[in-house]
Amino acid sequence: MRITKYTHACLRLEHDGGVLVIDPGVFSEAEALEGADAVLITHEHPDHVDLDKLRAAAAHQPTLTIHTHPDVEAQLTDLDADVFAVNPGDTFVAAGMTVRAHGGQHAVIHPDIPRIVNIAFAIDGPGGPIYHPGDSFHVPDEAIATLFAPVSAPWLKLSEAVDFVRAVRPERAFALHDSLWVEAGQQIVTGHMTRLSGTRYARLEPGTAI
């Protein structure tokens, strides 16, 4: 399996001819969706879903499927693509890959801001499950090989990111939701996460594949 990290929260997974993209938002590159067979959307915030990018992708790929929570599905009715509702606990196949839905709620930004839904996704890969939590610190009830951990957000502090990685206990972890830091901040976060997370940790520059 080839995993490419794009800007902020977007991942592209390629395996056995299938292409699966997670959270192609306004910060991510349009190329992430080239040739995509399926898209997973964790929640409705624009840094995780860019409707213009999805419309363009659907126009080029008539068989494109989109999988997201029913609350988000209701906002995608004008897309020329098949949109499937996903709830926590569901298992389904997208782009030929087995996906399990976890979580259910976005992390708290502030008590005065109502929480919205957020689906976290675990995708089976040859080396074990890959986990994209969206905007949450939900710890899945399964072993995770590769974790993409949020490290910068209005709802996040560094100690929570460290504790999240420790709780999931992946074989390796990479930075997710990471475009809000300037370079100096990126270096500080990477240093702390490398020392404290308890696993192999790295930040991938946009467009880097593993």
Side-chain angles (χ1 to χ4, degrees):
M1 177 179 283
R2 177 184 175 92
I3 307 171
T4 305
K5 168 70 168 63
Y6 286 94
T7 297
H8 200 53
C10 180
L11 301 180
R12 176 185 170 102
L13 282 62
E14 299 170 73
H15 182 60
D16 284 347
V19 178
L20 176 64
V21 178
I22 310 173
D23 280 3
V26 295
F27 298 152
S28 63
E29 296 79 1
E31 67 188 60
L33 283 163
E34 291 180 1
D37 299 296
V39 175
L40 309 181
I41 300 172
T42 62
H43 65 287
E44 65 189 51
H45 286 160
D47 56 329
H48 294 259
V49 54
D50 183 334
L51 293 180
D52 288 338
K53 287 190 179 78
L54 288 181
R55 291 189 186 98
H60 287 90
Q61 184 80 331
T63 59
L64 182 73
T65 62
I66 299 171
H67 308 259
T68 189
H69 189 278
D71 286 6
V72 182
E73 178 198 21
Q75 302 175 39
L76 305 179
T77 55
D78 66 333
L79 289 180
D80 189 17
D82 290 327
V83 183
F84 297 96
V86 177
N87 288 288
D90 289 351
T91 298
F92 58 99
V93 175
M97 304 174 213
T98 300
V99 183
R100 289 173 295 283
H102 293 274
Q105 284 195 303
H106 192 286
V108 175
I109 301 173
H110 187 276
D112 290 350
I113 300 177
R115 296 177 73 180
I116 60 171
V117 298
N118 180 94
I119 296 288
F121 295 107
I123 303 95
D124 281 347
I130 300 101
Y131 189 56
H132 187 307
D135 279 8
S136 79
F137 286 133
H138 179 82
V139 178
D141 56 353
E142 62 174 292
I144 298 298
T146 301
L147 169 66
F148 283 83
V151 296
S152 66
W155 47 269
L156 177 157
K157 62 182 180 180
L158 182 59
S159 63
E160 295 172 324
V162 170
D163 289 344
F164 174 58
V165 178
R166 289 179 175 181
V168 176
R169 300 176 64 186
E171 296 174 15
R172 59 180 182 172
F174 298 96
L176 188 74
H177 214 275
D178 58 340
S179 69
L180 304 185
W181 288 109
V182 297
E183 183 178 353
Q186 297 285 10
Q187 294 173 355
I188 292 170
V189 169
T190 297
H192 284 307
M193 293 293 286
T194 299
R195 287 190 297 273
L196 299 173
S197 66
T199 192
R200 293 177 293 157
Y201 174 85
R203 177 178 181 265
L204 303 174
E205 290 295 331
T208 302
I210 56 174

